[in-house]
Amino acid sequence: QVQLTESGGGLVQAGGSLKLSCAASGFTMRDYHIGWFRQAPGREREFVAVSVRPGTGGGPFYTDAVKGRFTISRDNAKKMVYLQMENLNPEDTAVYYCASSRAALSAVRQLEMYRAWGQGTQVTVSS
């Protein structure tokens, strides 16, 4: 059974840091791109970052709003993907989800290309 489980969310002050974790099970994670998405209240779910599957070439990719502040990494042996978030601001407040995809590299930012999703972890940044 394919399963993705996020952890590491919480409440942090503006300028602070958090590290999110995504644990994968039930599939061979090294064969998949693993992406992070977020959804703020009243807004659509949006792409944040993706770690492309090894051997694909390219990546990681980030949305412009987090470039230079967020870093995505993976440990295929542990079946874990991480999102290190630095210099957080209130606009980063959202539920963060990890998801898996085997899309073409040109489509890895597209939400609809991801099939399995975790339950999400809440990140709240206070001003």
Side-chain angles (χ1 to χ4, degrees), residues 62-126:
Y62 300 91
T63 191
D64 287 347
V66 308
K67 282 181 181 177
R69 300 189 298 121
F70 290 12
T71 303
I72 190 170
S73 61
R74 70 159 70 193
D75 185 332
N76 288 315
K78 294 183 178 179
K79 302 188 76 173
M80 296 290 295
V81 176
Y82 306 99
L83 187 68
Q84 178 68 47
M85 306 185 295
E86 306 282 350
N87 193 22
L88 286 160
N89 59 63
E91 290 70 39
D92 296 315
T93 295
V95 178
Y96 284 71
Y97 301 88
C98 62
S100 62
S101 173
R102 299 193 70 173
L105 198 61
S106 60
V108 294
R109 294 175 177 85
Q110 298 174 21
L111 182 150
E112 63 270 20
M113 301 306 294
Y114 289 76
R115 294 292 178 262
W117 292 81
Q119 82 290 348
T121 186
Q122 176 70 47
V123 172
T124 303
V125 184
S126 63

Side-chain angles (χ1 to χ4, degrees), residues 5 8 17 20 49 75-76 99 127:
T5 305
S17 303
L20 305 184
D75 185 332
N76 288 315
S127 57

Side-chain angles (χ1 to χ4, degrees), residues 6-60:
E6 303 93 340
S7 61
L11 174 63
V12 63
Q13 288 188 331
S17 303
L18 278 175
K19 185 175 183 179
L20 305 184
S21 299
C22 172
S25 63
F27 66 105
T28 304
M29 196 186 79
R30 69 171 65 87
D31 292 339
Y32 289 76
H33 314 306
I34 304 295
W36 284 97
F37 294 78
R38 65 187 180 185
Q39 187 166 17
R43 301 186 65 177
E44 294 185 351
R45 195 171 298 188
E46 63 176 2
F47 167 78
V48 175
V50 61
S51 171
V52 300
R53 64 176 180 261
T56 302

